[in-house]
Amino acid sequence: MKKTFKRTSAFVCAMAVMAAPMTFSSFVANADGETVTSDYTLTIPATLAVANSGWNALEGGISAKGTLESGKKLVVTPTSENGWKLVSGENNVGYNLAKTGDNTSVYSATAEVPTWEFTELTADGTSQTAGIIVENYDSKPAGDYSDTVTFTAKVENAVVTPKTYPSLKTGDILHVGDIVTSADSQSGYSFKNYGGSFPKNDSFKLVRADISIREGSSPLVTVSDTGEYYVFLNLSYDEGNKNRNFGIKNVEKQEELDDRTGKVIFKATETSDGLEVTVENGNKISFSVHES
């Protein structure tokens, strides 16, 4: 279950306002009420005093600290009560909420509204710049101009960029989409527990897949984000040819598939996020399912 917390901040034009930081925390629970590992504190100053047109920095920016569950990110999304305008009666001044800016920044009526994303948190906190870019208000009537911005914070799945491993070492964590080439190894790698190998310069991609046994023919391998097994696709062949899966192309019975579990195919769990590598004697490798 995701919890959303909101805090409003008033932006006041041509008026000095003291900034009062507001801090709030999220204690996330799953559907069974069990506490999970995302636990963060987000700090956003309650007000911003506009000193001039152009760039006005939010003192301290937007900061977050705590921990995020593996594969998650903290996303902070703003919305404006007045449609990104500072309003005083019938008059208004346009502004852009922005991540960065300087004294040359110019207001744009078509600027996109930014979001702030934190993919890693620390106990001491991580801060990202924030501020507003205000249009020239020299011709506007005097008055107290303000807007209310609501910041919504939530934890979402993070998009992880796949990595390529030209060599492997003990402790490496391979995630779905990662590719092993062995290009920097002496002669590739062989599996410690099964008669298979990663030949030097051949490419293998880790995927999750469901495997259906078909007697008399090769097993049907269906790649799926929620697949029951972790397997390696041999990219040296056509990736679309699912019969070219490393180590299981000759399997015709369930017991033959089971014999390969933990050797060249690996049973996924609800909390696993990939495979952990162990290397022995330079080129003997084995894997264990890594729990996030």
Side-chain angles (χ1 to χ4, degrees):
M1 178 179 70
K2 294 180 180 177
K3 292 187 178 180
T4 299
F5 295 81
K6 297 182 179 180
R7 182 70 197 175
T8 58
S9 298
F11 297 102
V12 181
C13 182
M15 178 179 177
V17 178
M18 295 299 292
M22 291 291 178
T23 303
F24 48 91
S25 300
S26 170
F27 301 92
V28 183
N30 61 22
D32 298 324
E34 298 174 339
T35 300
V36 294
T37 55
S38 293
D39 179 8
Y40 65 87
T41 299
L42 184 68
T43 302
I44 303 173
T47 57
L48 186 155
V50 176
N52 48 258
S53 60
W55 172 248
N56 292 259
L58 182 64
E59 184 177 356
I62 295 175
S63 63
K65 63 181 180 180
T67 58
L68 287 175
E69 186 180 0
S70 177
K72 302 294 184 180
K73 63 181 177 180
L74 176 63
V75 180
V76 182
T77 305
T79 55
S80 164
E81 184 176 282
N82 296 326
W84 306 109
K85 291 180 174 60
L86 301 164
V87 174
S88 177
E90 299 298 321
N91 303 303
N92 64 76
V93 175
Y95 73 96
N96 308 134
L97 188 61
K99 290 184 177 181
T100 58
D102 54 32
N103 57 11
T104 64
S105 298
V106 178
Y107 165 75
S108 170
T110 59
E112 293 185 4
V113 179
T115 60
W116 284 260
E117 296 188 359
F118 298 84
T119 55
E120 294 183 2
L121 297 181
T122 65
D124 295 331
T126 301
S127 181
Q128 296 186 19
T129 304
I132 63 173
I133 301 170
V134 183
E135 73 170 319
N136 190 313
Y137 53 84
D138 288 346
S139 62
K140 302 290 183 178
D144 294 339
Y145 290 75
S146 66
D147 186 22
T148 299
V149 174
T150 300
F151 292 93
T152 301
K154 61 181 178 179
V155 176
E156 298 180 353
N157 291 327
V159 177
V160 179
T161 302
K163 297 180 181 178
T164 296
Y165 287 82
S167 63
L168 296 171
K169 66 181 184 299
T170 297
D172 283 342
I173 309 297
L174 302 182
H175 299 97
V176 169
D178 288 348
I179 295 174
V180 178
T181 66
S182 306
D184 290 346
S185 65
Q186 184 173 357
S187 58
Y189 299 93
S190 61
F191 281 80
K192 175 183 176 181
N193 297 322
Y194 186 75
S197 64
F198 286 160
K200 183 180 176 69
N201 293 323
D202 279 11
S203 296
F204 297 85
K205 182 168 75 171
L206 183 65
V207 300
R208 283 184 66 159
D210 292 312
I211 302 173
S212 300
I213 302 303
R214 302 179 299 174
E215 291 192 18
S217 62
S218 297
L220 178 63
V221 179
T222 305
V223 176
S224 167
D225 290 340
T226 57
E228 186 178 8
Y229 297 95
Y230 292 106
V231 300
F232 289 97
L233 289 182
N234 189 341
L235 301 186
S236 300
Y237 299 94
D238 180 5
E239 185 177 347
N241 184 348
K242 298 302 187 290
N243 290 330
R244 293 293 191 180
N245 286 278
F246 177 70
I248 57 176
K249 61 182 179 180
N250 296 321
V251 171
E252 296 183 3
K253 297 181 180 180
Q254 182 64 45
E255 52 265 34
E256 292 174 346
L257 181 68
D258 293 341
D259 183 57
R260 287 159 170 77
T261 301
K263 299 175 181 178
V264 293
I265 64 171
F266 308 88
K267 197 74 173 288
T269 70
E270 290 185 358
T271 57
S272 63
D273 66 349
L275 301 179
E276 184 168 353
V277 179
T278 299
V279 180
E280 298 179 11
N281 300 322
N283 71 336
K284 299 289 186 182
I285 60 171
S286 59
F287 298 96
S288 58
V289 174
H290 183 261
E291 299 293 333
S292 60

